């Protein structure tokens, strides 16, 4: 099932799957009884696929309120003997760090796999943090797939590994595996559920003496797991050349293509033979497969390590080299040979490999220590510069109307707008320019409190979506109430978790499986948490929305406005805007920046295919030339 | 064969990629794809990579694509350097101006884009958006483009596999529209014969 074993002709049991879909189907085949997660790119499709394929409803699938809740729910199931999986993105693991650190000490009975998707680049994330580091910090074994096929195999095996060692196992795909697709063989039989029964035991209750004992046991286990990883199908030493390249995760797949292109060989074995290299593929990365690393470092006298994000494999190799006095020279991120940030794309991998493999010039300098290569990305081909196209709030997005209402209501006043994580982070773009801070999920509310304390003259607003409010905003609101903060919290309630593709959350009254459930009212929650001023407003009723923002601002103390209008992605438009005899004042374009508005021959035109008929531009137009009409 | 599909978030590049990958599998070949999923889907630049043959990784290097399918003019120009020397391109003449262009911060220079693309001898234009709109939905522009690329002989998959994959990857409610879009794209391409431009 690894790259090496892909047969040339695809069999009918194969399906084209995204890496995330492959992980989901691997978990189902492995007999996962419970899957809990929180949406976040690039991890979201894992849980969605489990839910979509859970046609008999046998698996408990849930979008938890946040990642901490997801991991704790999964731990409870695993302690009761069931196989369970928790799914999140890398910054989500920060939220779940508290349960993770202790959970490894307590261990599990049923297999527990934590899927944490990392995002080199980063493409859709706040940081370029590396979950392999987190796994080592937490003492949890970690697997790092190179392709969707291997992601499927790893998902299957991770549950066995977890049960054999009684430890949660982290499966860490990266974006180029999560969102890549390949034909995956799905012929594995689905394993029946293990019977769930919670057995009372002191092992599930963390106390300092237990932690002391378990710490020792966990470290002893790591040597064993490392031995197992040295012969794992996910780790491999190929070729026997005197120069070595180690590659982790998807970088191994990219390295194969780079070396094939370099040698002009038709397949990987021929490319490997032509390269005179030793290639170390690392997929089971923590604890380190020391025996395999030892063979690699004794075979190759000079070694290049290619891995995205942190230099995890590089540090493991250097630690072994130091501990055992091995002589191989290791180049990578720590040596300055490889850039510390960004993705490793095929062109970069090819360039690093080329530099590494090129024979050094026969001069005195050849004996000097290797100079570091510049750490900048390779120069792109010179091409004309075309207009940038950054993501924007969609046409018809209610967030645009909410931001605009608050912007107009506070015009002329010194106001600070603290933002949060979601589609509405895009409120930072021109011309709205309504996001002054953004730190992490839920932080807008609490950052606003700090800003207001230090800068009492400023009018301070915090914007947070309904999904993020339930995930991470409630404690911040409670904090504001308890500590008498005079801030204005604008909850942008679009009745969905929009940015990640419309997942359920506690405010919607439906679970991920479509079952009806209690619908939590954000206004009632805000009142219960101590907010005295709580109002709802329709952001598309501009005067009323502005009025609500003004009253919130003038209300002494904590105030909450819930701007309520559904995400434009949730319904088909029945209306559209049309410009007639536009005067060309451009006020609509300058004020709201809707992607459906464009300028042709000095006047505004509405792109009917994009327009969602929200009517915001019509309300802004000073001469009534933009009109809302029924769609044909 | 390496096919790059470029467009603006919301135009349906991922669907084109799925249809091509499914067709390659049905035709008995090996295939990998790489997608843009995330924040860019909100009106940003999106690209999908489809790679057939003995490759291990999912993303096409710059200057490596055999075929560029662009659902929008500016995105066609932006991604043209990803094409091999001698590679083919099918570019929709649909214009989607970024908000920064309407704000006057940047210029959307249609003529310059067209000229830049047309400098490639194997580049062709098609009014996929208008053709799809005439059939009832601009959303089907991606299928129009695909039908044209096939009719121009630029896809290695056979028609039966492509149409089967189209049916597998789209809801039955849109089957008639999608077949009509495919046919309209193919017809426009055939009528254009050797012309570089299909006029709308």
């Amino acid at each position: 099932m690894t790259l090496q074993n892909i047969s040339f002709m695809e069999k009918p049991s194969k399906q084209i799957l995204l890496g995330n879909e492959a992980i989901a189907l691997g978990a189902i085949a492995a007999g996962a009884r419970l899957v809990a997660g929180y949406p976040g790119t690039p991890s979201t499709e894992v849980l969605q696929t489990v839910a979509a394929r859970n046609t008999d409803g046998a698996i408990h699938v849930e979008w938890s309120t946040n990642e901490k809740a997801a991991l704790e729910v999964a731990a409870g199931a695993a302690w009761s003997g069931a196989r369970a999986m928790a799914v999140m993105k890398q910054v989500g693991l920060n939220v779940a760090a508290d349960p993770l650190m202790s959970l490894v000490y307590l261990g599990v009975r049923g297999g527990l796999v934590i899927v944490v998707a990392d995002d080199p680049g980063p493409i859709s994330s706040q940081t370029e943090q590396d979950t392999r580091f987190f796994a080592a910090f937490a003492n949890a074994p970690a697997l790092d797939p190179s392709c969707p096929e291997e992601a499927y195999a790893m998902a299957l095996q991770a549950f066995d590994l977890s049960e054999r060692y009684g430890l949660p196992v982290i499966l860490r795909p990266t974006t180029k595996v999560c969102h890549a697709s390949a034909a995956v063989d799905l012929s594995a039989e689905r394993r029946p559920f293990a019977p769930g029964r919670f057995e009372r035991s002191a092992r599930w209750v963390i106390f300092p003496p237990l932690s002391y004992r378990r710490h020792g046991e966990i470290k002893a286990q790591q040597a064993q797991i490392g031995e197992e990883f040295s012969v794992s199908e996910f780790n491999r030493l190929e070729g026997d050349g005197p120069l070595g390249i180690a590659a982790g995760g998807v970088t191994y797949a990219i390295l194969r293509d780079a070396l094939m292109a370099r040698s002009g060989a038709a397949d990987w074995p021929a490319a490997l033979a032509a390269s005179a290299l030793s290639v170390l593929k690392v997929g089971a990365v923590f604890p380190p497969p020391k025996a395999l690393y030892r063979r690699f470092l004794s075979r190759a006298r000079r070694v290049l390590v290619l891995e995205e994000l942190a230099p995890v494999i590089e540090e493991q190799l250097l630690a072994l080299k130091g501990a055992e006095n091995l002589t191989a020279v290791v180049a990578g991120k720590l040596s300055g040979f490889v850039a510390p940030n960004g993705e490793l794309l095929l062109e970069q991998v090819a360039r690093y490999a080329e530099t590494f493999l090129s024979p050094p010039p026969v001069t005195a300098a050849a004996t000097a220590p290797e100079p570091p290569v510049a750490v900048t990305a390779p120069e792109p081909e010179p091409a004309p510069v075309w207009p940038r196209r950054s993501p924007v709030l969609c046409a018809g997005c209610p967030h645009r109307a909410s931001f605009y209402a608050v912007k107009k209501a506070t015009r002329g006043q010194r106001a600070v707008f603290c933002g949060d994580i979601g589609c509405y982070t895009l409120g930072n773009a021109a011309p709205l320019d309504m996001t002054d801070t953004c730190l992490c999920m839920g932080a807008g509310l609490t950052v606003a409190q700090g800003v207001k304390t230090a800068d009492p003259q400023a009018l301070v607003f915090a914007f947070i979506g309904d999904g993020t409010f339930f995930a991470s905003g409630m404690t911040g609101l409670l904090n504001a109430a308890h500590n008498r903060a005079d801030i204005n919290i604008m909850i942008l309630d679009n009745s969905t978790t929009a940015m990640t593709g419309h997942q359920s959350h506690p405010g919607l009254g439906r679970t991920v499986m479509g079952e009806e459930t209690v619908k939590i009212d954000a206004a009632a929650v805000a009142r219960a948490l101590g907010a005295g001023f709580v109002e709802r407003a329709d952001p598309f009723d501009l005067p009323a929305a502005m009025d609500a923002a003004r009253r919130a601002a003038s209300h002494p103390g904590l105030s909450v406005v819930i701007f309520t209008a559904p995400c434009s992605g949730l319904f088909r438009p029945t209306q559209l805007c049309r410009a007639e005899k536009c005067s060309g004042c451009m006020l609509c374009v300058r004020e709201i920046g809707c992607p459906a508005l464009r300028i042709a021959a000095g006047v505004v035109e509405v792109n009917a295919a994009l327009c969602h008929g929200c009517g915001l531009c019509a309300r802004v137009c000073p001469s009534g030339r933009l009109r809302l009409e029924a769609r044909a | 064969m390496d096919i790059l599909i470029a467009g603006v978030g919301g135009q349906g590049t991922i669907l084109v990629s799925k249809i091509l990958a499914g067709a390659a599998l049905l035709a008995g070949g090996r295939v990998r794809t790489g997608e843009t999923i995330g924040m860019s889907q909100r009106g940003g630049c999106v690209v999908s990579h489809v790679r057939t043959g003995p490759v291990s990784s999912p993303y096409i290097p710059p200057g490596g694509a055999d075929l560029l399918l662009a659902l929008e003019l500016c995105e066609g120009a932006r991604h043209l350097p990803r094409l091999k020397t001698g590679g083919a391109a099918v570019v929709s003449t649909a214009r989607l101006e970024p908000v920064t262009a309407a704000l006057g911060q940047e210029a959307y220079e249609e003529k310059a884009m067209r000229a830049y693309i047309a400098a490639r001898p194997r580049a062709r234009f098609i009014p996929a958006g208008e053709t799809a709109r005439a059939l009832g939905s601009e959303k089907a522009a991606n299928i129009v483009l695909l039908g044209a690329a096939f009719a121009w002989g630029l896809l290695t998959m056979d028609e039966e596999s492509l149409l089967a994959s189209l049916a597998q990857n789209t809801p039955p409610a849109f089957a008639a529209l999608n077949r009509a879009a495919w046919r309209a794209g193919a017809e426009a391409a055939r009528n254009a014969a050797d012309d570089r431009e299909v006029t709308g």
Side-chain angles (χ1 to χ4, degrees):
Chain A
M1 189 68 67
T2 56
L3 276 169
Q4 205 171 39
N5 305 332
I6 299 164
S7 64
F8 192 78
M9 288 296 289
E10 308 295 353
K11 285 176 290 204
S13 65
K14 291 189 169 185
Q15 279 181 31
I16 304 268
L17 295 177
L18 290 176
N20 280 345
E21 294 171 329
I23 290 170
L25 296 191
I28 292 173
R33 169 74 183 81
L34 179 146
V35 179
Y38 189 80
T41 310
S43 71
T44 312
E45 299 80 14
V46 176
L47 191 138
Q48 280 182 175
T49 304
V50 176
R53 302 279 184 133
N54 185 29
T55 44
D56 61 356
I59 304 171
H60 174 85
V61 192
E62 67 168 55
W63 284 125
S64 306
T65 50
N66 60 28
E67 295 84 352
K68 174 174 152 68
L71 181 52
E72 292 160 353
V73 167
W79 288 351
S80 306
R83 288 189 161 188
M85 184 161 85
V87 187
M88 60 201 70
K89 69 181 292 180
Q90 87 287 46
V91 290
L93 186 60
N94 301 341
V95 177
D98 201 1
L100 174 67
M101 297 306 290
S102 303
L103 178 58
V104 177
Y105 276 69
L106 290 187
V108 294
R109 192 155 68 86
L112 174 55
V113 176
I114 310 169
V115 178
V116 186
D118 279 357
D119 186 21
I123 296 166
S124 294
S125 302
Q126 300 98 300
T127 68
E128 280 203 296
Q129 64 187 76
D130 194 318
T131 297
R132 296 173 302 163
F133 249 157
F134 222 129
F137 177 41
N139 292 302
L143 305 174
D144 180 11
S146 63
C147 59
E149 300 94 307
E150 194 173 55
Y152 179 80
M154 282 183 174
L156 270 174
Q157 290 199 21
F159 285 95
D160 287 324
L161 186 69
S162 171
E163 277 172 9
R164 278 190 286 111
Y165 289 96
L167 290 172
V169 170
I170 291 178
L171 174 55
R172 190 235 27 178
T174 52
T175 309
K176 286 195 287 293
V177 172
C178 296
H179 291 164
S181 79
V184 180
D185 186 338
L186 299 173
S187 51
E189 289 277 322
R190 183 170 172 181
R191 188 181 186 274
F193 290 157
R197 184 182 165 82
F198 182 81
E199 305 287 353
R200 301 181 72 182
S201 160
R203 68 180 278 210
W204 307 132
V205 185
I206 200 159
F207 268 110
L210 175 71
S211 302
Y212 167 77
R213 180 170 60 76
R214 284 290 295 151
H215 190 189
E217 289 170 3
I218 290 163
K219 289 296 177 190
Q221 271 184 319
Q222 277 175 11
Q224 264 178 287
I225 302 171
E227 276 175 39
E228 183 176 329
F229 282 0
S230 279
V231 293
S232 159
E233 66 169 286
F234 304 130
N235 294 333
R236 210 160 48 228
L237 184 49
E238 300 169 306
D240 54 6
L243 296 179
I245 301 183
V250 73
T251 307
Y252 168 74
I254 294 171
L255 176 67
R256 280 171 59 139
D257 284 346
L259 293 177
M260 268 175 65
R262 185 178 192 269
S263 65
D267 61 13
W268 169 237
L272 186 66
S275 70
L277 270 171
S278 296
V279 171
L280 176 67
K281 173 199 181 298
V282 184
V285 62
F286 183 83
K290 285 188 190 168
L292 184 68
Y293 283 5
R294 199 174 285 122
R295 277 202 284 140
F296 177 59
L297 290 179
S298 54
R299 191 178 291 182
R301 55 188 163 73
R302 223 158 52 86
V303 163
L304 170 64
V305 187
L306 292 174
E307 57 191 320
E308 290 179 314
L309 304 174
V312 171
I313 298 167
E314 188 180 358
E315 286 194 356
Q316 290 174 339
L317 288 168
L318 286 171
L320 186 73
K321 169 177 138 74
E324 301 189 359
N325 257 327
L326 306 175
T327 53
V329 176
V330 179
K333 296 190 173 193
L334 292 169
S335 73
F337 192 93
V338 177
N341 54 340
E343 297 179 88
L344 277 178
L345 300 170
L346 183 53
E347 55 271 30
Q348 279 107 321
V349 167
R351 191 175 62 102
Y352 287 128
E354 192 57 48
T355 312
F356 177 73
L357 296 175
S358 303
V362 192
T363 63
T367 55
E370 203 160 296
V373 170
V375 294
T376 50
E379 291 294 316
E381 266 183 58
V385 179
W386 306 112
R388 281 166 300 144
R389 192 186 296 278
S390 303
V392 289
L393 295 173
C394 302
C397 175
H399 299 333
R400 175 177 292 105
S402 302
F403 282 127
Y404 185 62
V406 175
K407 187 174 183 171
K408 271 199 89 158
T410 58
R411 203 158 271 178
Q413 290 172 278
R414 196 164 66 81
V416 178
F417 304 111
C418 298
D420 222 294
I421 306 282
C423 281
Y424 48 93
T425 315
L426 297 172
N428 75 321
L432 288 171
D433 191 17
M434 284 291 286
T435 304
D436 296 326
T437 73
C438 182
L439 179 64
C440 63
M441 291 281 288
L445 274 57
T446 24
V447 164
Q449 296 164 42
V451 170
K452 183 67 182 176
T453 304
D455 185 358
Q457 301 311 315
L459 198 52
V460 181
F461 286 81
F463 293 88
I464 187 166
D466 48 342
T468 306
F469 175 68
F470 289 115
S472 305
M474 294 188 296
T475 50
L477 199 157
L478 183 61
N479 193 66
H482 174 60
N483 292 302
R484 305 162 50 91
D486 182 11
I487 61 162
N488 308 290
I489 295 173
M490 307 287 111
I491 299 178
L492 307 178
D493 182 357
N494 62 354
S495 298
T496 189
T497 313
M499 179 54 95
T500 44
H502 302 298
Q503 288 75 28
S504 66
H505 69 58
L508 303 181
R510 290 222 175 260
T511 70
V512 64
M513 293 306 298
E515 304 142 321
E516 236 174 272
T517 182
V518 60
K519 185 172 174 174
I520 310 298
D521 175 18
V525 170
R527 280 191 204 98
L529 293 176
F533 178 108
V534 180
E535 285 193 6
R536 274 193 191 270
D538 174 359
F540 291 118
D541 182 346
L542 192 54
M546 287 171 60
D547 201 41
R550 277 198 206 101
R551 274 183 286 119
S554 58
H555 173 82
L558 174 62
S559 47
V560 176
V561 177
I562 304 172
F563 288 114
T564 311
C567 171
S568 60
L570 292 178
F571 63 97
R572 286 175 148 239
T574 56
Q575 297 179 299
L576 87 165
C577 289
R578 202 181 291 282
E580 256 172 59
K581 297 182 184 153
C582 167
S583 69
C585 77
M586 304 299 161
L587 190 72
C588 55
V589 168
R590 280 203 317 271
E591 291 279 289
I592 63 174
C594 174
L597 299 178
R598 65 176 172 212
I599 300 166
V603 296
V604 170
E605 248 181 33
V606 178
N607 180 337
L610 286 182
C611 176
H612 215 261
C614 76
L616 184 63
C617 59
R619 285 178 188 87
V620 170
C621 179
S623 51
R625 305 277 170 68
L626 276 161
R627 290 222 185 112
L628 209 47
E629 294 177 357
R631 270 188 181 265
Chain B
M1 181 180 188
D2 282 350
I3 306 172
L4 194 78
I5 306 138
V8 178
Q11 284 193 306
T13 60
I14 295 175
L15 178 61
V16 175
S17 157
K18 276 189 173 176
I19 293 167
L20 290 174
L25 186 67
L26 287 172
R30 290 171 59 171
V31 63
R32 290 183 181 279
T33 79
E35 310 293 354
T36 312
I37 301 174
M39 196 179 249
S40 297
Q41 287 176 290
R42 302 273 171 273
C45 308
V46 290
V47 283
S48 290
H49 304 241
V50 178
R51 314 191 74 190
T52 60
V55 293
S56 301
S57 67
Y59 292 87
I60 302 165
D66 300 287
L67 174 62
L68 169 67
L69 300 176
L71 295 166
E72 199 270 348
L73 184 65
C74 176
E75 296 314 308
R78 192 190 313 282
H79 295 287
L80 203 70
R82 289 169 171 262
L83 209 52
K84 255 178 203 159
T85 309
V90 180
V91 179
S92 168
T93 51
R95 298 172 54 137
L96 280 176
E97 283 141 77
V99 171
T100 45
L103 287 169
Q105 296 171 354
E106 310 209 52
Y108 191 100
E109 291 167 339
E110 184 172 343
K111 274 189 182 162
M113 290 170 191
R114 276 174 173 262
Y116 177 67
I117 295 166
R120 293 276 190 148
R122 297 185 63 213
R124 294 163 183 269
F125 296 98
I126 180 163
E130 288 158 44
T131 307
R133 204 181 314 141
L135 296 171
S137 172
E138 202 160 328
K139 295 265 177 214
N142 50 1
I143 309 301
V144 171
L145 196 85
L146 209 47
F150 174 77
W152 270 319
L154 300 172
L155 301 178
T156 50
M157 305 89 179
D158 60 278
E159 186 165 23
E160 194 188 348
S161 302
L162 282 161
L163 290 177
S165 180
L166 171 65
Q168 277 173 14
N169 285 291
T170 50
F174 296 113
L177 172 68
N178 284 327
R179 287 297 288 263
W182 173 275
R183 280 196 303 268
E187 204 172 308
R190 286 193 197 103
N191 292 342
D194 288 332
D195 283 358
R196 298 279 304 284
E197 170 118 20
V198 178
T199 44

